[in-house]
Amino acid sequence: MRKYWPAVLVVSAALALPTIATAQDATQAGAPKAAAAEAAVGTSIADRTLAGAAESFPAGTAKLYCFSRVSNLDAGSEIEHVWYKGDAEQGRVKLNIGGSPWRTHSSKTMPADAAGDWRCDVVHDGKVLQSVKFKVE
């Protein structure tokens, strides 16, 4: 009987290894990351980046741009830039995502009565990923 114990132990260990390796792979994979965004508002887009970023803009500014960088979204996904003056929605722009991370922007032509508190929300599937507040003086 002694001659068979080493063989039994080797076979038992060989059968247990795939199970252990599978458990480690599932642990290492981790949970999927949540969608995230960074955003800012400025006066222009130059060389695929935002220029003139600020928290306050003078009255008479003709157009403002919301520039966002989103992560952890699949290519073909869609986000929206939703522009608000106070709590009143002023515009909504749908933007396609081509990969992760992805940079994109929208613009808003400012009305004559633009003075006040504004914000632009970056929204994905009804969830606000980032909100940028700014003021027009």
Side-chain angles (χ1 to χ4, degrees):
M1 192 68 176
R2 284 187 161 164
K3 294 180 182 178
Y4 297 109
W5 276 109
V8 170
L9 291 175
V10 169
V11 170
S12 297
L15 292 174
L17 284 178
T19 305
I20 293 170
T22 302
Q24 288 176 346
D25 289 344
T27 304
Q28 291 172 355
K33 294 183 179 180
E38 300 169 19
V41 173
T43 55
S44 66
I45 301 292
D47 296 323
R48 297 185 297 189
T49 60
L50 183 68
E55 294 179 5
S56 180
F57 301 93
T61 302
K63 188 181 274 193
L64 291 175
Y65 296 82
C66 181
F67 184 87
S68 60
R69 180 183 181 273
V70 294
S71 303
N72 305 324
L73 290 177
D74 295 329
S77 297
E78 191 173 81
I79 63 167
E80 291 181 305
H81 283 176
V82 186
W83 294 82
Y84 293 92
K85 180 181 178 190
D87 291 328
E89 184 177 318
Q90 301 294 310
R92 183 176 291 259
V93 181
K94 292 185 180 191
L95 302 161
N96 292 319
I97 302 302
S100 180
W102 191 257
R103 297 176 299 178
T104 189
H105 69 275
S106 68
S107 63
K108 174 72 177 133
T109 301
M110 303 308 287
D113 63 344
D117 294 324
W118 286 76
R119 78 177 192 269
C120 185
D121 292 346
V122 180
V123 179
H124 173 67
D125 286 342
K127 180 183 174 193
V128 176
L129 302 178
Q130 181 72 31
S131 186
V132 181
K133 295 180 180 182
F134 60 98
K135 185 175 219 146
V136 176
E137 303 289 338

